[in-house]
Amino acid sequence: MTVKKADEKPAEKEPSLLYEQPENKLSFIGEAFKTYIFVEKNDKEIIIIDKHAAHERMIYEKLKKERGAGFSQMLLQPVTVVLNKNDYEAAIANLDMFTECAFDVEDFGNGTLIVRAAPQYLDLNDVESSIVEMAGYIAQNKKDIRSEKMDWIYHNVACRAAVKGGNISTKEELIDIANKIDNDPTLRYCPHGRPVCVVMSKYELEKQFGRIV
């Protein structure tokens, strides 16, 4: 039986290792305020990631690149959406736009659409309001070129579908976001232009605590 000495300190718990490559070690530290992911990189930097902004940018890029392919999920119960005349006409004339952002939308007649599939991560309660907002935008911006309309739609869907700040996330979900953000420098800003992450060096941190001058 091993007896612990009175002055023996408990072993410090190391941050969970996400991955390690030559000259690149990223370790998961934790999450603050159910919004910000903290990771340590190469024993030299702390990276703080806004999980909503990061996930939003990831979804936006996926939708834009794949035009909704592989990002759609069937709804257990189809959702019916009633629109005003102008929005309804604009929507049924541009059903392909809904398809390109992972919705499966059909004309149900008499000013009504039926939605059979929606983007992954999108809350069921947001499906109807998303379609209403998208149809209204298309109707009001008929003169805009298609690429401009699609970019707005991708932004809108990505923001709605992304994990929200304050929501509970699993450790695995947080690690996945951190890995992807660190591995892809193009994901450093959300579609609205806000920073996805901030980096604080060990030098800056130690200076704040007066360890160095």
Side-chain angles (χ1 to χ4, degrees), residues 140-155:
Q140 293 172 20
N141 296 273
K142 293 179 180 179
K143 295 182 180 180
D144 288 356
I145 61 175
R146 180 186 174 85
S147 61
E148 290 180 348
K149 289 197 284 282
M150 287 308 306
D151 199 55
W152 183 92
I153 291 173
Y154 291 146
H155 284 179

Side-chain angles (χ1 to χ4, degrees), residues 62-100:
K62 187 174 181 64
L63 288 172
K64 189 173 182 180
K65 181 180 180 180
E66 301 178 5
R67 297 186 177 183
F71 198 68
S72 182
Q73 60 181 2
M74 295 296 296
L75 301 177
L76 294 177
Q77 182 69 41
V79 175
T80 55
V81 181
V82 179
L83 301 171
N84 64 47
K85 184 176 183 296
N86 288 338
D87 293 357
Y88 170 71
E89 291 178 349
I92 61 175
N94 295 279
L95 290 179
D96 58 324
M97 288 188 176
F98 295 92
T99 301
E100 288 189 20

Side-chain angles (χ1 to χ4, degrees), residues 12-209:
E12 293 185 1
K13 186 178 180 181
E14 291 292 329
S16 301
L17 189 65
L18 300 189
Y19 63 85
E20 186 170 7
Q21 300 171 347
E23 301 180 356
N24 193 21
K25 184 177 73 172
L26 195 70
S27 300
F28 177 76
I29 298 173
E31 182 184 16
F33 313 119
K34 298 178 183 177
T35 301
Y36 302 102
I37 306 167
F38 281 71
V39 294
E40 178 183 316
K41 184 172 183 179
N42 297 333
D43 301 319
K44 295 179 179 179
E45 297 175 330
I46 296 293
I47 303 175
I48 307 170
I49 302 168
D50 181 328
K51 70 178 182 183
H52 170 74
H55 197 213
E56 181 182 359
R57 181 57 188 264
M58 288 158 54
I59 292 173
Y60 168 77
E61 292 297 335
K62 187 174 181 64
L63 288 172
K64 189 173 182 180
K65 181 180 180 180
E66 301 178 5
R67 297 186 177 183
F71 198 68
S72 182
Q73 60 181 2
M74 295 296 296
L75 301 177
L76 294 177
Q77 182 69 41
V79 175
T80 55
V81 181
V82 179
L83 301 171
N84 64 47
K85 184 176 183 296
N86 288 338
D87 293 357
Y88 170 71
E89 291 178 349
I92 61 175
N94 295 279
L95 290 179
D96 58 324
M97 288 188 176
F98 295 92
T99 301
E100 288 189 20
C101 57
F103 284 97
D104 180 2
V105 180
E106 298 176 10
D107 179 11
F108 204 54
N110 298 318
T112 304
L113 302 177
I114 185 166
V115 186
R116 301 190 183 280
Q120 295 176 30
Y121 310 118
L122 185 67
D123 191 288
L124 181 62
N125 295 325
D126 283 337
V127 172
E128 181 179 359
S129 59
S130 294
I131 297 297
V132 170
E133 189 171 7
M134 290 164 62
Y137 176 83
I138 294 171
Q140 293 172 20
N141 296 273
K142 293 179 180 179
K143 295 182 180 180
D144 288 356
I145 61 175
R146 180 186 174 85
S147 61
E148 290 180 348
K149 289 197 284 282
M150 287 308 306
D151 199 55
W152 183 92
I153 291 173
Y154 291 146
H155 284 179
N156 183 273
V157 172
C159 186
R160 285 175 173 269
V163 61
K164 304 297 186 291
N167 286 1
I168 296 175
S169 302
T170 66
K171 179 179 178 180
E172 290 71 26
E173 289 170 337
L174 299 175
I175 287 174
D176 182 61
I177 290 174
N179 269 328
K180 289 176 179 175
I181 295 303
D182 185 66
N183 281 320
D184 190 347
T186 66
L187 301 179
R188 296 304 166 87
Y189 291 88
C190 81
H192 305 291
R194 292 193 301 110
V196 162
C197 64
V198 294
V199 178
M200 176 174 285
S201 68
K202 183 179 180 182
Y203 172 84
E204 292 173 312
L205 191 60
E206 291 188 332
K207 189 172 183 180
Q208 288 291 325
F209 282 97

